Amino acid sequence: MSDMVIPVLCNAQNGISRFIEKHYSLTDFNGLFISARQDALNFRHRMSQPGYFSDWHVAGDPTLIIIRAGVLRIGLRDQGFYDFAAGDMFIAQDKLPDNIEFDRQMHGHTAALVGDQGLLAVHLKLASLAD
């Protein structure tokens, strides 16, 4: 194992939210494979009830979201979606640049809880998206 791949919700040049893969190099410390340190600003515990839905919006600063229970569906403008279940994680960072104003008809993503299980997650606000 030489790297770890984490999905990242980000913006294309036109401000449209999309997912890319971020590769983190891992160093072998006697069988413990670990990435370089990355600064974090804070973390929050999250809980959402079945039926939760958030209409089109963008994320703020890069946030690593770790799903502990439930299934969170992130919807994209192209009608595609990604489902994240317990044990999955992704980074949300599709905040628009200062020179682009949010357009509810064009930008962002949706978030919905799938199924009848509540969502438990951890949001870890990152200082930046490490290279």
Side-chain angles (χ1 to χ4, degrees):
M1 177 180 280
S2 60
D3 69 352
M4 174 181 283
V5 178
I6 298 177
V8 178
L9 178 63
C10 61
N11 287 317
Q13 287 182 344
N14 58 2
I16 304 300
S17 297
R18 65 186 178 106
F19 275 97
I20 62 169
E21 290 184 340
K22 175 79 172 135
H23 292 257
Y24 288 90
S25 295
L26 301 178
T27 302
D28 182 358
F29 287 98
N30 245 358
L32 172 102
F33 294 87
I34 194 163
S35 69
R37 289 179 188 251
Q38 187 173 347
D39 290 337
L41 302 175
N42 63 56
F43 77 94
R44 296 182 289 178
H45 297 282
R46 173 183 176 173
M47 182 175 67
S48 296
Q49 298 298 323
Y52 167 82
F53 176 78
S54 179
D55 207 359
W56 298 105
H57 66 283
V58 294
D61 298 324
T63 302
L64 176 67
I65 299 171
I66 304 166
I67 307 299
R68 296 180 46 226
V71 177
L72 182 64
R73 176 170 288 168
I74 303 298
L76 302 174
R77 291 286 177 178
D78 66 2
Q79 305 303 311
F81 61 87
Y82 287 74
D83 286 347
F84 296 95
D88 291 339
M89 63 182 148
F90 68 99
I91 297 172
Q93 67 151 29
D94 62 343
K95 179 180 178 182
L96 293 169
D98 291 338
N99 64 334
I100 298 178
E101 186 173 329
F102 179 75
D103 180 340
R104 189 173 295 287
Q105 302 303 314
M106 176 187 290
H107 300 125
H109 63 276
T110 61
L113 192 52
V114 176
D116 58 1
Q117 183 179 14
L119 178 74
L120 295 176
V122 174
H123 285 214
L124 182 63
K125 185 79 65 172
L126 306 174
S128 66
L129 190 60
D131 291 327

